[in-house]
Amino acid sequence: MESLALHSLSTSPSFSLPSSRSSLHHRSRPIFTNRSLNPQPRSTPSLKSPIISQAFSFPSKASNFNTFSRPQFNPVKASSSPPKSPSPPPLQGAKPIPLVISISIGLIVRFLVPKPVEVTPEAWQLLSIFLSTIAGLVLSPLPVGAWAFLGLTTAVVTKTLTFGAAFSAFTNEVIWLIVISFFFARGFVKTGLGDRIATYFVKWMGKSTLGLSYGLTFSEVLIAPAMPSTTARAGGVFLPIIKSLSLSAGSEPGNPSSKRLGAYLVQNQFQSAGNSSALFLTAAAQNLLCIKLAEELGVIVSSPWVTWFKAASLPALVCLLVTPLILYKLYPPEIKDTPEAPALAAKKLESMGPVTKNEWIMVSTMLLAVSLWIFGESLGIASAVAAMIGLSILLVLGVLDWNDCLNEKSAWDTLAWFAILVGMASQLTNLGIAAYFFIHYLFASQTGHVGALYSAFLAMHRAAGVPGVLAALALGYNTNLFGAITHYSSGQAAVYYGAGYVDLPDIFKMGFVMAVVNAVIWGGVGAFWWKFLGLY
């Protein structure tokens, strides 16, 4: 799941911000005043809170907890009350109820559901293991990588798959492109380049709340093709900036003042993120998985990076332009003008200093990688090879070191469970099953949704006569767009909801409204654009 990308941000070069819900809360002074700005040094963000860091840091008022005061030693007094019994240790291993449910689904399909005549026993057994694996990805009896590995082990132990077939997808180019893209994302965070880009847009467009929302939206569009995790972009770059600007305007989470500024900015970034992810093939890991699963069904997308971007460009850009304005009307902020935000952004940029050598290397490397993704097919350079070239440059020049790659847990976890899902889906196709999956209602993971249902729906679209490439792309775009309909529909949903600025009724209401808006634009503008491009 994409939310795992948050665990890779422990070295983020952004500013530390205590959670507003903590008993040790330090309230930031408003920045929309004439008080001077005293930027504080960057610190490592805490993984205990979805609020990763603070982009603009200000002096804090005195609190009850002073880390610089001398320790006070009080005499120990005897107590007549009996000592409290120690709390039981936390449960280790798999969660019992999700474990039983996940396994039961596979057993029911294997032994109680009648096998279609045209399906081989091996295919039916693999389907039951696959469905049990998907159920575990949703219910989480174990972390996703561990659960996927158990599914793969079961397939090998039961001789449903040979060892070679089970691990065949680990050599897949698309899987390694995903992994290397996560390393690029770490480079953005480590060098501070993502933070700098977003701050520039605040400086250029932040004189009004509406302009501020457009600035943050466009900066995400600029970063997205080289940072393949909406969750990482949310937690590592944009939420810290939104949090800082909101607190400075007196807009605090968890109380009515959240409507002053923070609620609108969070909703806008949350709803816009789906379109920025849909715009570029490399903007979200599930996009690359969609392309690979389409290939398994015989739908080959030529020049995938260019084709994906070209088909998405017009409807995505229209949505990105109208989303801040629609939310500004339907979910308006109380503060309409933020005249001091550009000056504060300028001061922050000044405190960051000039663009560093590593940032320039990061920019140059990503321009090279994107250029090779666009023109590489004509040069005989595959997308994964282009990513390998880019990563090699970052390693040789010291922007990343091998420990950075080893510590990128989300990349290695993704390698494991994506490869397992792709491998099982491929073998299901080879064994004669493409569309025998249960109908999906709600998922808490975009990638889990793709792994469970993408192949089935693509097969049904093709059977209905929809052109294969158009069906593959349209399903891929929708995978990104439904990531903002609830507070648990994606990794970034959990990050933005966890900030405390928006409540559940507003999440569901605006999620539904913007889902309708996206459907109308992608269905109308998209249909016209795709016909113009000759996709159908």
Side-chain angles (χ1 to χ4, degrees):
M1 297 179 351
E2 193 185 25
S3 59
L4 291 168
L6 284 176
H7 297 288
S8 68
L9 299 175
S10 60
T11 57
S12 171
S14 48
F15 293 101
S16 176
L17 179 68
S19 170
S20 62
R21 298 178 180 177
S22 170
S23 61
L24 305 180
H25 174 58
H26 291 248
R27 189 184 303 270
S28 299
R29 292 179 180 173
I31 63 175
F32 294 109
T33 67
N34 292 326
R35 295 176 180 173
S36 61
L37 177 71
N38 294 318
Q40 298 176 0
R42 301 182 177 193
S43 61
T44 302
S46 170
L47 293 180
K48 296 181 180 179
S49 170
I51 301 171
I52 306 299
S53 57
Q54 180 178 3
F56 300 93
S57 187
F58 308 96
S60 300
K61 295 181 179 180
S63 66
N64 294 330
F65 182 82
N66 186 352
T67 58
F68 299 103
S69 61
R70 294 181 179 178
Q72 301 294 324
F73 298 96
N74 296 320
V76 179
K77 297 181 179 179
S79 175
S80 60
S81 60
K84 294 182 179 180
S85 59
S87 58
L91 180 67
Q92 295 182 340
K95 301 174 185 175
I97 295 179
L99 176 67
V100 171
I101 296 175
S102 301
I103 294 176
S104 298
I105 289 174
L107 294 176
I108 289 171
V109 172
R110 174 65 179 85
F111 295 107
L112 299 181
V113 177
K115 178 182 73 66
V117 176
E118 63 273 15
V119 177
T120 65
E122 294 82 3
W124 193 248
Q125 184 160 294
L126 181 57
L127 176 62
S128 66
I129 297 172
F130 182 76
L131 291 176
S132 193
T133 302
I134 293 299
L137 296 183
V138 177
L139 300 175
S140 299
L142 286 170
V144 289
W147 184 253
F149 183 78
L150 289 182
L152 190 67
T153 302
T154 303
V156 175
V157 170
T158 58
K159 298 184 179 181
T160 308
L161 293 177
T162 65
F163 187 89
F167 285 88
S168 60
F170 281 84
T171 61
N172 184 270
E173 289 186 4
V174 173
I175 301 298
W176 282 98
L177 176 59
I178 295 172
V179 172
I180 296 173
S181 295
F182 275 108
F183 297 153
F184 288 161
R186 175 167 281 264
F188 264 83
V189 174
K190 181 179 179 181
T191 62
L193 181 59
D195 191 21
R196 186 184 295 274
I197 290 173
T199 306
Y200 267 118
F201 274 93
V202 172
K203 175 184 176 181
W204 295 332
M205 305 180 67
K207 290 185 178 180
S208 67
T209 302
L210 185 60
L212 188 60
S213 66
Y214 274 111
L216 293 171
T217 298
F218 293 157
S219 61
E220 176 156 357
V221 171
L222 189 61
I223 296 171
M227 204 169 184
S229 169
T230 316
T231 307
R233 298 197 298 270
V237 178
F238 295 101
L239 183 57
I241 293 177
I242 291 172
K243 176 75 173 180
S244 174
L245 291 168
S246 302
L247 288 174
S248 302
S251 179
E252 299 187 4
N255 64 54
S257 68
S258 64
K259 302 287 185 180
R260 297 191 69 193
L261 183 64
Y264 167 73
L265 292 180
V266 166
Q267 275 281 21
N268 176 75
Q269 204 69 19
F270 178 34
Q271 296 298 333
S272 298
N275 284 285
S276 61
S277 294
L279 184 56
F280 303 101
L281 178 63
T282 50
Q286 65 265 15
N287 297 346
L288 296 156
L289 182 59
C290 289
I291 292 296
K292 178 56 188 173
L293 293 178
E295 290 179 1
E296 299 293 345
L297 291 179
V299 179
I300 307 299
V301 181
S302 60
S303 302
W305 202 95
V306 176
T307 302
W308 181 287
F309 172 75
K310 188 165 58 174
S313 57
L314 187 59
L317 290 175
V318 171
C319 285
L320 288 167
L321 288 172
V322 303
T323 294
L325 187 59
I326 291 175
L327 289 172
Y328 193 77
K329 298 294 184 182
L330 300 181
Y331 195 74
E334 295 175 5
I335 294 177
K336 307 297 183 183
D337 297 311
T338 54
E340 295 190 24
L344 292 165
K347 289 182 179 179
K348 178 169 188 293
L349 289 169
E350 182 180 351
S351 70
M352 294 174 70
V355 179
T356 64
K357 180 189 73 173
N358 283 350
E359 287 178 278
W360 281 120
I361 294 173
M362 194 72 207
V363 169
S364 303
T365 303
M366 292 317 306
L367 288 176
L368 174 63
V370 172
S371 299
L372 290 177
W373 287 334
I374 296 173
F375 304 109
E377 187 168 292
S378 60
L379 300 174
I381 300 176
S383 297
V385 176
M388 292 170 66
I389 294 172
L391 177 60
S392 298
I393 293 173
L394 296 179
L395 290 171
V396 169
L397 297 181
V399 176
L400 292 175
D401 57 43
W402 191 238
N403 281 332
D404 292 322
C405 298
L406 293 177
N407 292 330
E408 189 65 30
K409 297 179 181 179
S410 58
W412 302 114
D413 188 71
T414 300
L415 169 66
W417 74 281
F418 265 34
I420 291 170
L421 285 182
V422 170
M424 285 189 180
S426 173
Q427 293 303 316
L428 283 172
T429 303
N430 294 337
L431 292 172
I433 292 183
Y436 292 95
F437 300 103
F438 293 131
I439 299 300
H440 165 79
Y441 179 61
L442 287 176
F443 269 82
S445 163
Q446 290 167 291
T447 47
H449 182 106
V450 172
L453 297 175
Y454 181 87
S455 296
F457 277 89
L458 179 57
M460 288 188 287
H461 277 73
R462 295 187 69 194
V466 179
V469 172
L470 176 61
L473 294 176
L475 288 171
Y477 298 147
N478 277 280
T479 300
N480 293 284
L481 298 176
F482 62 51
I485 58 175
T486 72
H487 63 298
Y488 58 88
S489 55
S490 59
Q492 68 269 20
V495 171
Y496 284 124
Y497 174 68
Y501 277 98
V502 289
D503 53 27
L504 279 181
D506 288 339
I507 284 279
F508 279 98
K509 180 174 67 175
M510 300 316 303
F512 176 79
V513 169
M514 294 312 302
V516 173
V517 170
N518 287 329
V520 170
I521 294 175
W522 281 85
V525 176
F528 162 78
W529 182 238
W530 298 331
K531 189 172 184 65
F532 174 78
L533 294 176
L535 293 178
Y536 69 94

